[in-house]
Amino acid sequence: MNQTILVIGAGPAGATASALLRQRGYRVIVIEKQHFPRFSIGESLLPQCMEILEEAGMLETVKANADRLSFQFKNGAAFKQGERYTDFNFGEKFTPGLGWTWQVRRGDFDKLLADSAAAQGTEIRYGHEILTVDISGDTPVVTIRGEDGTSYTETPSFVLDASGFGRILPRLLNLEVPSNFPVRRAIFTHVMDHISDPVFDREKIRVTVHPEENHVWWWLIPFSDGRASVGVVACEEFFAKYQGTSEERWRAILAEDEGLSTLLAQSTVCQEVRELGGYSADVKSLYGRHFALLGNAGEFLDPVFSSGVTIAMKSASLCVPLLDRQLQGETIDWENDYEKTLRRGITVFRAYVEAWYDGSFQDIIFSPKQSPEIKAMICSLLAGYAWDEKNPFNRDAKRRLSTITEICRDTSIETDALLTMEGTTP
Ligand SMILES: Cc1cc2nc3c(=O)[nH]c(=O)nc-3n(C[C@H](O)[C@H](O)[C@H](O)COP(=O)(O)OP(=O)(O)OC[C@H]3O[C@@H](n4cnc5c(N)ncnc54)[C@H](O)[C@@H]3O)c2cc1C
């Protein structure tokens, strides 16, 4: 088979798609603007993405290198606000499947995946950049600037845009629509954490909610070599109250949380403090004539539930079999089988993200009224299993979260009696 697929970007979406295409015998060219390893944010993975790593023939490679690259075994998520603490163990989730994953430095992780795709026969051109994409003819015409600055064209059978925040096709083809989330920003860095608290669980991401502002939160993502990624997320208006450099603002906000600043009292910053804002994004359509959008090049919600890499890989896993069938002459229902299917899971994450920022998710998880049954269903989402239709919480997430929130907030229900599923299915 000599059909060529051109993939834009060698991040998790691009590398996964490339490996899956190579398994089906296609020639794959990846155009990647940067040289790897390069820094990327998004270090806490979800168990759901392990299944896709396996599908792409990459899981064994990642396992074999996990210790060397200080990937931290991760088995859950912990949430804290003031004295309130709760955690979720992925092993107790409703959906069957792996209950663990890793926390990774993305430069190393992404390079592993890209190298694995290359070992499977993908041609990756680092330092090359997409300039234009013309999809008006019978085959796409892609103009690329090579490392030496000269331009050249490729005429693949199909283009997969996995350019992440580069959002190449959304920009070039005018597909962008504003996200309906307010503009938020993250300030983050890596520290040598020197955490000595024996109760601290390195095997979980720790999400700390600001003591007074429910919509402001910190991530603390430990790696296995004593380092950790520490970042704060808030809306632009909140950050506008703080003056100084990124590091000064990061420190000033950290100081407002007694628990977190005590935990990190001995930590030392070991990387430049960076900022990223306005990352939530959406598009009119995830596919079109001769192209499909993967991962962040399509829709990106929010960092809070660490869903980005999982959605990126899931998009590749859904898209490639459809593309394969199309290239073999079948007519594909991209609208149902790609767009709606991928967005079904994203919509579940969206309901949780909305519940997070209006404070209702916090009211649920810190409430003494939850049942283990409901906790297991929520835990599945936290583990990334947003496409599991057997999970009642995935079928109508927004309404169910809202019903539970009402019960958790209702002070007339004084009993600590656990909520039952009947309470959530009026
Ligand atoms: C603050 C923050 C925290 C986050 N935390 C998490 C987390 O804990 N867990 C998680 O799963 N996700 C997290 N995410 C999301 C995560 O970063 C992304 O969802 C994920 O990296 C998307 O993968 P991707 O393959 O789509 O894109 P990327 O990983 O961004 O890869 C895209 C690649 O395309 C290349 N590219 C761009 N433009 C061009 C061009 N013109 N030509 C050629 N190549 C190009 C880039 O160099 C890049 O290598 C977070 C996001 C933010 C903003």
Side-chain angles (χ1 to χ4, degrees), residues 6 13 60 98 146 159 162 166 174 217 253 317 366 389:
L6 187 139
E60 289 312 312
L98 276 189
V159 178
N174 196 22
W217 60 276
I253 302 166
S317 154
F366 292 128
E389 291 193 320

Short mmCIF file of all heavy atoms in Angstrom, two decimals, residues 6 13 60 98 146 159 162 166 174 217 253 317 366 389:
data_model
loop_
_atom_site.label_atom_id
_atom_site.label_comp_id
_atom_site.label_asym_id
_atom_site.label_seq_id
_atom_site.Cartn_x
_atom_site.Cartn_y
_atom_site.Cartn_z
N LEU A 6 -0.30 12.46 5.98
CA LEU A 6 0.56 13.46 6.59
C LEU A 6 -0.04 13.87 7.94
O LEU A 6 -1.23 14.21 8.02
CB LEU A 6 0.70 14.68 5.67
CG LEU A 6 1.73 15.71 6.15
CD1 LEU A 6 2.55 16.25 4.98
CD2 LEU A 6 1.06 16.87 6.88
N ALA A 13 -1.18 12.81 20.35
CA ALA A 13 -2.19 12.51 19.33
C ALA A 13 -1.50 12.08 18.03
O ALA A 13 -1.86 11.07 17.42
CB ALA A 13 -3.09 13.73 19.08
N GLU A 60 4.63 -1.26 26.19
CA GLU A 60 5.82 -1.95 26.69
C GLU A 60 7.02 -1.01 26.69
O GLU A 60 7.84 -1.03 27.61
CB GLU A 60 6.11 -3.22 25.86
CG GLU A 60 5.09 -4.34 26.11
CD GLU A 60 4.84 -4.61 27.61
OE1 GLU A 60 5.82 -4.72 28.36
OE2 GLU A 60 3.66 -4.67 28.01
N LEU A 98 -7.72 -0.95 33.45
CA LEU A 98 -6.58 -0.62 34.30
C LEU A 98 -6.91 0.47 35.31
O LEU A 98 -7.64 1.40 35.00
CB LEU A 98 -5.42 -0.12 33.44
CG LEU A 98 -4.49 -1.16 32.80
CD1 LEU A 98 -3.31 -0.45 32.19
CD2 LEU A 98 -4.04 -2.18 33.83
N GLY A 146 11.20 23.58 5.47
CA GLY A 146 12.17 22.63 6.02
C GLY A 146 13.13 23.32 6.98
O GLY A 146 13.09 24.54 7.14
N VAL A 159 -4.82 14.41 5.56
CA VAL A 159 -4.04 15.15 6.57
C VAL A 159 -4.69 14.98 7.94
O VAL A 159 -5.90 15.19 8.08
CB VAL A 159 -3.96 16.67 6.24
CG1 VAL A 159 -3.19 17.42 7.32
CG2 VAL A 159 -3.32 16.89 4.88
N ALA A 162 -2.61 17.17 14.26
CA ALA A 162 -2.39 16.89 15.68
C ALA A 162 -1.46 17.96 16.22
O ALA A 162 -0.55 17.68 17.01
CB ALA A 162 -1.79 15.49 15.85
N GLY A 166 -0.98 24.67 18.52
CA GLY A 166 -0.66 25.28 17.23
C GLY A 166 -1.91 25.46 16.38
O GLY A 166 -2.00 26.40 15.60
N ASN A 174 -10.29 28.26 8.89
CA ASN A 174 -11.32 29.06 9.54
C ASN A 174 -12.35 28.19 10.28
O ASN A 174 -13.55 28.38 10.15
CB ASN A 174 -12.00 29.93 8.47
CG ASN A 174 -12.78 31.05 9.09
OD1 ASN A 174 -12.51 31.43 10.24
ND2 ASN A 174 -13.78 31.57 8.38
N TRP A 217 -7.38 26.92 41.80
CA TRP A 217 -6.88 25.62 42.30
C TRP A 217 -5.44 25.37 41.87
O TRP A 217 -4.96 25.95 40.91
CB TRP A 217 -7.78 24.49 41.80
CG TRP A 217 -7.87 24.35 40.31
CD1 TRP A 217 -8.69 25.03 39.47
CD2 TRP A 217 -7.09 23.48 39.48
NE1 TRP A 217 -8.49 24.63 38.16
CE2 TRP A 217 -7.50 23.68 38.14
CE3 TRP A 217 -6.10 22.52 39.71
CZ2 TRP A 217 -6.96 22.98 37.06
CZ3 TRP A 217 -5.56 21.82 38.64
CH2 TRP A 217 -5.99 22.06 37.34
N ILE A 253 0.63 33.51 45.49
CA ILE A 253 -0.65 32.78 45.56
C ILE A 253 -0.47 31.51 46.39
O ILE A 253 -1.33 31.13 47.18
CB ILE A 253 -1.20 32.48 44.14
CG1 ILE A 253 -1.37 33.80 43.37
CG2 ILE A 253 -2.53 31.75 44.22
CD1 ILE A 253 -1.57 33.63 41.87
N SER A 317 -7.31 6.98 18.28
CA SER A 317 -7.81 5.60 18.27
C SER A 317 -9.17 5.48 17.56
O SER A 317 -9.47 4.47 16.94
CB SER A 317 -7.88 5.13 19.72
OG SER A 317 -8.81 4.15 19.91
N PHE A 366 -16.52 16.49 48.81
CA PHE A 366 -16.19 16.68 50.22
C PHE A 366 -17.37 16.36 51.14
O PHE A 366 -17.26 16.46 52.36
CB PHE A 366 -15.72 18.12 50.48
CG PHE A 366 -14.38 18.45 49.85
CD1 PHE A 366 -14.22 19.57 49.04
CD2 PHE A 366 -13.27 17.65 50.08
CE1 PHE A 366 -13.00 19.88 48.47
CE2 PHE A 366 -12.03 17.95 49.51
CZ PHE A 366 -11.89 19.07 48.70
N GLU A 389 -20.48 3.74 28.30
CA GLU A 389 -21.91 4.03 28.36
C GLU A 389 -22.62 3.24 29.44
O GLU A 389 -23.77 3.54 29.78
CB GLU A 389 -22.54 3.75 26.99
CG GLU A 389 -22.08 4.78 25.98
CD GLU A 389 -22.89 4.75 24.71
OE1 GLU A 389 -23.22 3.65 24.24
OE2 GLU A 389 -23.17 5.84 24.20
#
